Amino acid sequence: MLKTGNFYDGFISGKWQSEIDVADFIKQNYKPYEGDSSFLSDATQRTKRAREKMESLFLQERQKGGVLDIDVDNVSTVVSYEPGYLTDEDIILGFQTDKPLKRGVNPFGGLRMAVDSCKAYGYKVNPKIFEHFKYAATHNDGVFRAYTDEMRALRKYGLITGLPDAYGRGRIIGDYRRVALYGVDRLIEAKKSDMQSLARIRMNDENIRLREEVFCQIESLEQLKIMASSYGCDISKPAMDAKQAVQWTYFAYLASIKESNGAAMSLGRVGTFFDIYFERDMKNGILDETSVQEIMDDFVIKLRMSRQLRTPEYNELFAGDPTWVTESIGGMGIDGRTLVTKTSFRILHTLYNLGASPEPNLTVLWSQSLPEGFKNYCAKVSLDTSSIQYENDDLMRPISGDDYGIACCVSSMKIGKQMQFFGARCNLAKLLLLSINGGREELHDVKIGLQTDAFDKGVLEFDKVYKRYREYIKWLAEVYVDTMNVIHYMHDKYAYEKIMLSLHDTNIERLMAFGVAGLSIVADSLSAIKYAKVYPIVNSNGLVIDYKIEGDYPKYGNDDDRVDSIARDLVEVFYKELTNSPTYRGAKHTLSVLTITSNVVYGQKTGTTPCGRKSGQPFAPGANPYHGRDENGAVASLNSVAKLAYTCCKDGISNTFSVVPSTLGKNNVDRQTNLVSLIDGYFDKKGHHININAYNREDLLKANERPEDYPNLTIRVSGYAVKFAALSKKHREEVLARTFHNKL
Amino acid sequence: MNEGKMMSFTTDEIQKNVLGYVNSIESLGALDGPGLRTVFFLQGCPVKCIYCHNPEMQDKNGGRPMSVIEIVQIAQRNRPYFGKRGGVTFSGGEPLMQPDFVLQCILECKKLGIHTVVDTSGVIFDKCIFDSADLILLDIKHTDSEVYRKIVGCAMDNSMRVLDYLSNNNIDFIVRHVVVGDLNDDVQNIKALKKLANKAIKIELLPYHAMAMPKYEHLGWEYPYHLKVPSEQKMKELQKIIDS
Ligand code: SF4
């Protein structure tokens, strides 16, 4: 039954009232904003006090080696902790445990990960938790029961790495707005009615599984209400006002990050939704601009303090302690109106009111048609804080509609309608070396996969090498899909994300997201083989471990079609091979060119490559050209990356761009307009994603020497941002080695 | 207007045959003309300024041979980045050392509606190019002929002839002046510059920097260590004169 009453006073009615359809609600009710940033409000005294408290806790956390505190006695669930507060004047309430920054133990993904994480920070998990998992398997247990020897080998030697087989898969975005718009009772009602519909279908595998899942979803919605009531809030009904709308939405998100220790736990696209409530309250004289900004600031403070418990090795892989609270901002509606509202500005403005920060991962959905005022403000914020990433709305909207969000760094999905099976990435460069060696791994000399003769004598011939490589790609793609099927079968079985999926339609579309790393290295290596003369060098066991290159060759990153076409071809070939293998639950195959920060670790695990890169040297991040090989300036480099076809890489193509601000123009106004032109240009060329960093190399050198003096220096790495000081020394050096576009 | 000459160069055949020698390309140029630009640094310069920051471009031999068509293709590829004000810039070295090539590039770009800028030292006079480019960046090394000779190694006459021509023919131009400490950072020079360049759209003072040092090392040339980077304070002071 439709709940009426005064929750919806002042809203335009529509389909959203008879069905769960937040996008329709937004479309009917939002007010596009085409102006500039002059209306924004500074931080209030209360915000300043809260910020101070937050920063002092961050400092204590750093001083304690990265983890402030751990609750070792409870298993993290939606309802396992007492309420927690930052100050006695919090506006938006709720922490994952009873204290800010105190981490919960979440063993559902894997018990060992949880235990090791505690141990690394000097804590011991309460034995009663072990007791429980004696009788219950974790996701990790399940996966390793089913893994084949080949899958283990691929994992062990780093041909596929970062697989979510020992931790939560994440990358699922609940439609947290539903809780605010409908209240939990209405959502439960809808799920119950879905249960009824499922009862009318024959009981096959899929239907049995789904019915059990929906049952669990309903249970978790009940728990969500209990959690909120511990903070004195009754969320069974819709939100009455803007503050409640933000709060209800946050509760739903909070329950998700309590329940799942997913790698990326993204927020979705809440800004324009909130804006409708802000506008209504402002019209009714309940709020003014200052108080609206204050709510957004406090909301963002809470998001910045979300934490998961992970091992130091995991943090090393991802550089820092990321949670990817990605919020998608702006974009255009299918009807041609911009989805930019004043709240799009407000959320960016938190970077001034609260200082620059990696989280939440603010992601602007850029379209050529965005209002100029918003484009200029984004450019300003980028130049001032380096804290925004941009993704091409004009590329994604035709595929994902106008209510999609970005999970993690670059993965788009329709909110509440699609979910993703996250699949990390495989190392294409290492695969090339494996194929040249005919199935012998280049660093440990073990046999993996197809066994053939090696290309170990004379000059390497492109046609032969490429043909062989494609055979290996075919083989790897098959095992990769199978590995993912095992992982997600077990994840659904042992660590199903009840609350997040309760905030999805019951019949969802599933995406299976594969990834590649080392693209620029393979493209350059194949180009070297094709256009220069490359001779393999073998060790005493006849294993190819090095290469001699005679002559020059075209390098990816210079807008040179000879090599760019190789890169483009590679992702197409790999994607096609993936689609030849069926997936668990009929998920759609997608592919990303993204490394996050694991490009450093990938490099360590990969021998010398035919392009001249030495063994152990880091890869370039994401789809970036290899450091220092792009010689014609940034635009040529962007053009190379823009040639990779998004149609094959719908899970995203990540590009990280670093520029010294003074090279973008002589004054701030020029720099802003030129940055806008740059983003417009890249996306017009069909580029998909760009991180923008604006800083001087000298500043980074200083920060590298004394990171503790720069606790808030934020930089964008492949797909997300980190605090520079939180990076390992190796990562810091990698960032410094990156091509800076600074010709004078 | 030099129509006869312009006409004689517009046949496709000649365009294809004209080759330029390009030292390097900066596809993200934001400092040599308005907006975002693709800057072609052409090889070769007839003079040898004491503070030259592109010494590797002085040698007339060398550079990568490129056709007009290649240049135009690159411009086309980068066009989406140009925004409302950007385009291409021919710099160097001294681009007017390769007048046929530069002229053809300009004419082809103009056909496509791409904004063109020529960045010249003023040591070569080329009416045709001055008439065709959308904007000229004219480097004036000094206002006193003695000091000018000391810096550039030749007489100032040509530079003045270029300035006169641009000033008297309604051509859009920006005057640029590299300020070196103790060499040309005196108030008198800047005042004189302002007077000389009164027809320019803008006068830009560029502080000398020592970032070309590795290039000198690489060439095995002695670096002009005696040249000083002007202080920020000084630059502000001089800028005030320009702005007043
Ligand atoms: S005119 Fe320019 S390129 Fe030629 S020597 Fe002088 S500064 Fe160098």
Side-chain angles (χ1 to χ4, degrees):
Chain A
M1 276 301 294
L2 180 67
K3 295 274 186 315
T4 44
N6 48 7
F7 302 114
Y8 301 145
D9 278 357
F11 291 154
I12 295 166
S13 51
K15 202 167 107 217
W16 61 272
Q17 282 172 302
S18 53
E19 287 168 36
I20 307 291
D21 190 345
V22 179
D24 182 63
F25 167 74
I26 293 173
K27 214 154 286 169
Q28 304 291 346
N29 288 285
Y30 87 103
K31 200 167 130 195
Y33 178 70
E34 311 243 347
D36 63 16
S37 62
S38 54
F39 72 93
L40 289 164
S41 264
D42 290 343
T44 61
Q45 290 308 317
R46 194 218 67 87
T47 299
K48 286 181 187 157
R49 286 191 295 274
R51 175 182 174 181
E52 217 170 278
K53 186 76 200 287
M54 170 182 75
E55 284 178 346
S56 85
L57 286 171
F58 285 168
L59 180 66
Q60 289 173 38
E61 188 182 47
R62 267 200 310 280
Q63 286 167 344
K64 283 200 68 185
V67 168
L68 185 65
D69 198 2
I70 302 175
D71 182 329
V72 290
D73 298 321
N74 296 292
V75 169
S76 181
T77 66
V78 175
V79 290
S80 44
Y81 306 97
E82 295 292 305
Y85 302 90
L86 179 64
T87 66
D88 49 19
E89 48 181 0
D90 289 6
I91 299 172
I92 300 302
L93 306 175
F95 284 103
Q96 285 155 286
T97 64
D98 60 347
K99 287 211 181 77
L101 303 189
K102 185 178 184 181
R103 299 175 197 227
V105 174
N106 191 324
F108 297 102
L111 186 58
R112 182 139 41 91
M113 175 87 150
V115 173
D116 288 354
S117 307
C118 287
K119 208 156 77 193
Y121 296 104
Y123 290 81
K124 237 181 102 188
V125 174
N126 188 322
K128 83 177 191 221
I129 294 181
F130 285 108
E131 199 56 33
H132 171 80
F133 281 94
K134 241 198 227 164
Y135 309 109
T138 65
H139 158 57
N140 175 252
D141 297 330
V143 170
F144 279 82
R145 288 169 187 168
Y147 263 173
T148 63
D149 291 343
E150 196 174 45
M151 290 169 183
R152 286 167 205 259
L154 287 179
R155 197 178 171 275
K156 178 169 177 194
Y157 294 103
L159 276 138
I160 308 180
T161 50
L163 288 169
D165 56 12
Y167 63 95
R169 61 189 167 193
R171 291 254 188 124
I172 297 171
I173 310 173
D175 188 355
Y176 306 114
R177 307 165 302 186
R178 289 184 184 185
V179 172
L181 182 59
Y182 297 107
V184 175
D185 283 350
R186 170 80 193 280
L187 299 177
I188 291 175
E189 226 173 84
K191 285 289 174 188
K192 283 187 174 159
S193 121
D194 290 346
M195 266 306 238
Q196 292 308 318
S197 315
L198 293 176
R200 291 188 285 272
I201 301 172
R202 295 301 297 271
M203 287 300 155
N204 56 21
D205 257 19
E206 179 56 33
N207 197 37
I208 297 167
R209 181 169 35 217
L210 192 55
R211 271 187 59 90
E212 189 188 7
E213 285 171 355
V214 177
F215 178 89
C216 295
Q217 291 175 13
I218 294 171
E219 253 184 8
S220 74
L221 286 168
E222 294 289 354
Q223 290 194 335
L224 175 61
K225 283 199 289 185
I226 298 171
M227 182 197 85
S229 70
S230 76
Y231 286 96
C233 299
D234 174 10
I235 63 170
S236 61
K237 304 276 174 300
M240 291 279 292
D241 56 27
K243 196 180 127 189
Q244 282 191 355
V246 177
Q247 179 71 69
W248 278 205
T249 305
Y250 175 64
F251 276 144
Y253 175 72
L254 182 64
S256 302
I257 58 176
K258 282 176 177 231
E259 185 187 72
S260 300
N261 177 2
M265 300 292 286
S266 300
L267 183 64
R269 196 165 176 174
V270 300
T272 293
F273 173 74
F274 289 166
D275 196 76
I276 298 168
Y277 285 87
F278 287 139
E279 283 290 321
R280 185 175 72 167
D281 283 6
M282 286 171 97
K283 203 167 142 200
N284 294 339
I286 302 170
L287 294 174
D288 59 9
E289 184 54 39
T290 311
S291 43
V292 168
Q293 185 66 46
E294 195 175 43
I295 294 173
M296 284 308 286
D297 288 343
D298 205 45
F299 174 57
V300 167
I301 284 179
K302 297 292 147 39
L303 296 177
R304 287 188 183 186
M305 300 185 82
S306 91
R307 289 292 183 274
Q308 298 289 358
L309 181 60
R310 282 133 185 202
T311 58
E313 296 79 54
Y314 180 97
N315 288 349
E316 199 202 322
L317 183 63
F318 290 118
D321 194 3
T323 45
W324 288 281
V325 189
T326 308
E327 161 67 3
S328 304
I329 306 164
M332 297 296 294
I334 302 271
D335 59 11
R337 293 182 300 157
T338 181
L339 282 157
V340 170
T341 59
K342 283 188 170 178
T343 303
S344 315
F345 283 80
R346 291 175 186 128
I347 193 153
L348 294 176
H349 191 56
T350 62
L351 292 166
Y352 294 104
N353 284 0
L354 305 172
S357 167
E359 300 278 5
N361 185 12
L362 299 179
T363 302
V364 170
L365 304 177
W366 187 277
S367 160
Q368 307 288 323
S369 326
L370 286 183
E372 288 301 314
F374 186 64
K375 284 184 177 178
N376 285 330
Y377 188 62
C378 290
K380 176 181 153 50
V381 179
S382 265
L383 289 166
D384 289 343
T385 70
S386 295
S387 299
I388 318 180
Q389 62 173 353
Y390 298 87
E391 310 204 5
N392 193 346
D393 183 51
D394 295 333
L395 214 51
M396 293 183 284
R397 193 184 335 109
I399 296 167
S400 303
D402 56 7
D403 192 44
Y404 65 91
I406 300 298
C408 189
C409 312
V410 287
S411 310
S412 67
M413 58 199 79
K414 296 176 188 165
I415 294 180
K417 307 201 172 295
Q418 285 180 324
M419 62 92 73
Q420 179 187 97
F421 293 141
F422 164 55
R425 50 206 60 86
C426 66
N427 184 341
L428 283 185
K430 200 170 171 75
L431 185 70
L432 177 66
L433 301 183
L434 189 75
S435 72
I436 288 174
N437 267 313
R440 281 162 81 189
E441 194 265 351
E442 79 284 2
L443 294 179
H444 305 85
D445 199 358
V446 287
K447 288 182 177 162
I448 304 176
L450 297 183
Q451 295 300 309
T452 54
D453 51 326
F455 294 117
D456 51 6
K457 275 179 279 303
V459 68
L460 294 177
E461 291 172 58
F462 175 79
D463 290 339
K464 285 187 185 161
V465 171
Y466 195 41
K467 185 166 171 271
R468 169 75 56 79
Y469 185 46
R470 290 177 66 149
E471 286 161 17
Y472 274 77
I473 284 180
K474 185 173 183 313
W475 158 74
L476 184 75
E478 281 172 12
V479 196
Y480 191 5
V481 175
D482 281 347
T483 308
M484 288 276 280
N485 289 346
V486 170
I487 291 172
H488 292 286
Y489 177 97
M490 295 301 174
H491 204 296
D492 273 355
K493 188 169 172 186
Y494 295 111
Y496 181 72
E497 296 88 345
K498 302 181 280 286
I499 189 71
M500 276 192 275
L501 287 151
S502 77
L503 300 171
H504 280 74
D505 295 356
T506 295
N507 287 307
I508 42 173
E509 194 179 349
R510 295 178 179 83
L511 307 169
M512 192 173 271
F514 300 87
V516 293
L519 181 67
S520 60
I521 290 170
V522 181
D524 285 351
S525 292
L526 290 171
S527 173
I529 293 169
K530 191 167 181 180
Y531 297 100
K533 279 202 167 90
V534 180
Y535 300 89
I537 299 172
V538 294
N539 68 8
S540 52
N541 293 324
L543 187 70
V544 179
I545 49 152
D546 202 353
Y547 300 88
K548 189 178 89 188
I549 307 165
E550 274 175 13
D552 205 0
Y553 63 90
K555 298 169 186 85
Y556 175 68
N558 295 295
D559 199 5
D560 186 328
D561 289 341
R562 287 174 299 170
V563 51
D564 297 347
S565 61
I566 296 178
R568 187 186 160 95
D569 200 38
L570 271 169
V571 291
E572 279 181 27
V573 166
F574 191 67
Y575 176 66
K576 273 221 187 84
E577 290 298 350
L578 288 169
T579 56
N580 287 334
S581 295
T583 56
Y584 169 65
R585 290 185 104 167
K588 271 193 192 165
H589 307 77
T590 62
L591 179 64
S592 69
V593 188
L594 168 78
T595 55
I596 312 196
T597 45
S598 49
N599 56 309
V600 175
V601 176
Y602 277 106
Q604 286 166 6
K605 291 189 174 181
T606 308
T608 298
T609 37
C611 60
R613 175 198 145 275
K614 291 290 162 215
S615 179
Q617 282 179 359
F619 290 3
N624 275 59
Y626 193 69
H627 319 307
R629 286 189 188 151
D630 39 357
E631 291 161 351
N632 294 332
V635 164
S637 172
L638 294 176
N639 284 350
S640 284
V641 182
K643 287 176 202 169
L644 304 175
Y646 180 69
T647 45
C648 299
C649 305
K650 289 197 198 107
D651 200 44
I653 302 164
S654 169
N655 193 358
T656 298
F657 172 79
S658 301
V659 68
V660 175
S662 58
T663 62
L664 272 178
K666 294 186 183 92
N667 54 53
N668 287 337
V669 177
D670 279 0
R671 287 172 197 161
Q672 270 175 43
T673 10
N674 286 338
L675 186 54
V676 168
S677 301
L678 188 83
I679 304 170
D680 269 341
Y682 183 53
F683 287 162
D684 184 80
K685 299 286 280 192
K686 308 231 180 318
H688 175 245
H689 158 264
I690 188 167
N691 273 312
I692 306 246
N693 283 308
Y695 38 51
N696 290 310
R697 203 159 177 277
E698 288 69 42
D699 292 344
L700 286 187
L701 284 170
K702 274 188 229 151
N704 187 32
E705 276 160 33
R706 300 186 59 80
E708 60 283 5
D709 291 352
Y710 298 81
N712 287 325
L713 176 65
T714 297
I715 59 160
R716 301 235 28 125
V717 288
S718 175
Y720 74 112
V722 288
K723 290 191 173 147
F724 190 69
L727 291 172
S728 72
K729 198 153 180 298
K730 267 207 198 81
H731 275 118
R732 295 207 299 270
E733 276 158 13
E734 190 266 335
V735 169
L736 284 164
R738 252 182 229 169
T739 310
F740 268 81
H741 296 287
N742 65 343
K743 189 132 179 186
L744 287 165
Chain B
M1 298 286 285
N2 213 340
E3 268 163 20
K5 195 179 175 193
M6 280 165 71
M7 288 298 291
S8 69
F9 275 101
T10 48
T11 70
D12 279 357
E13 199 188 330
I14 289 173
Q15 281 163 30
K16 273 184 205 138
N17 291 337
V18 182
L19 283 182
Y21 293 85
V22 179
N23 176 282
S24 52
I25 302 167
E26 173 51 61
S27 57
L28 182 75
L31 304 170
D32 300 305
L36 275 193
R37 319 189 65 83
T38 298
V39 186
F40 297 97
F41 292 94
L42 305 192
Q43 187 71 34
C45 182
V47 292
K48 192 178 167 98
C49 303
I50 49 171
Y51 58 64
C52 181
H53 61 293
N54 286 336
E56 78 282 16
M57 300 185 199
Q58 287 177 15
D59 190 347
K60 288 161 210 65
N61 306 307
R64 174 157 64 106
M66 289 181 80
S67 69
V68 174
I69 292 165
E70 280 177 273
I71 298 291
V72 174
Q73 273 171 354
I74 291 173
Q76 278 287 52
R77 281 174 175 229
N78 296 351
R79 194 171 185 167
Y81 300 84
F82 294 162
K84 294 188 188 92
R85 301 159 62 228
V88 296
T89 296
F90 298 94
S91 181
E94 173 48 66
L96 301 192
M97 287 275 283
Q98 305 184 44
D100 295 348
F101 175 70
V102 171
L103 182 63
Q104 285 313 314
C105 288
I106 291 173
L107 296 179
E108 286 304 310
C109 285
K110 277 181 94 96
K111 274 192 211 159
L112 298 163
I114 295 172
H115 186 266
T116 55
V117 169
V118 173
D119 177 13
T120 174
S121 62
V123 294
I124 296 174
F125 183 87
D126 194 308
K127 200 167 138 135
C128 248
I129 290 179
F130 299 148
D131 290 344
S132 343
D134 292 308
L135 175 71
I136 306 291
L137 305 179
L138 175 63
D139 205 351
I140 295 186
K141 314 273 181 184
H142 208 282
T143 54
D144 176 275
S145 58
E146 282 304 300
V147 193
Y148 183 96
R149 187 179 282 280
K150 229 172 83 186
I151 296 173
V152 189
C154 69
M156 200 166 92
D157 307 6
N158 234 328
S159 200
M160 289 305 110
R161 193 174 154 219
V162 172
L163 179 64
D164 277 348
Y165 184 78
L166 299 177
S167 303
N168 297 328
N169 289 280
N170 264 329
I171 293 170
D172 283 347
F173 71 104
I174 289 174
V175 161
R176 310 216 283 183
H177 189 68
V178 176
V179 179
V180 185
D182 296 346
L183 182 70
N184 60 3
D185 63 346
D186 49 298
V187 172
Q188 204 188 341
N189 176 41
I190 302 300
K191 278 191 173 151
L193 179 75
K194 194 180 172 190
K195 206 161 143 207
L196 263 182
N198 65 337
K199 284 281 174 60
I201 300 176
K202 202 162 91 183
I203 300 173
E204 288 177 1
L205 299 180
L206 312 172
Y208 165 75
H209 59 74
M211 278 178 261
M213 208 182 287
K215 294 182 175 179
Y216 279 78
E217 258 167 41
H218 190 242
L219 289 167
W221 292 10
E222 199 179 326
Y223 190 75
Y225 285 106
H226 61 285
L227 300 178
K228 285 189 199 136
V229 175
S231 68
E232 234 173 88
Q233 171 72 27
K234 188 85 200 180
M235 289 305 294
K236 272 195 194 137
E237 194 183 307
L238 300 180
Q239 190 60 47
K240 256 194 208 137
I241 297 173
I242 299 292
D243 296 339
S244 66

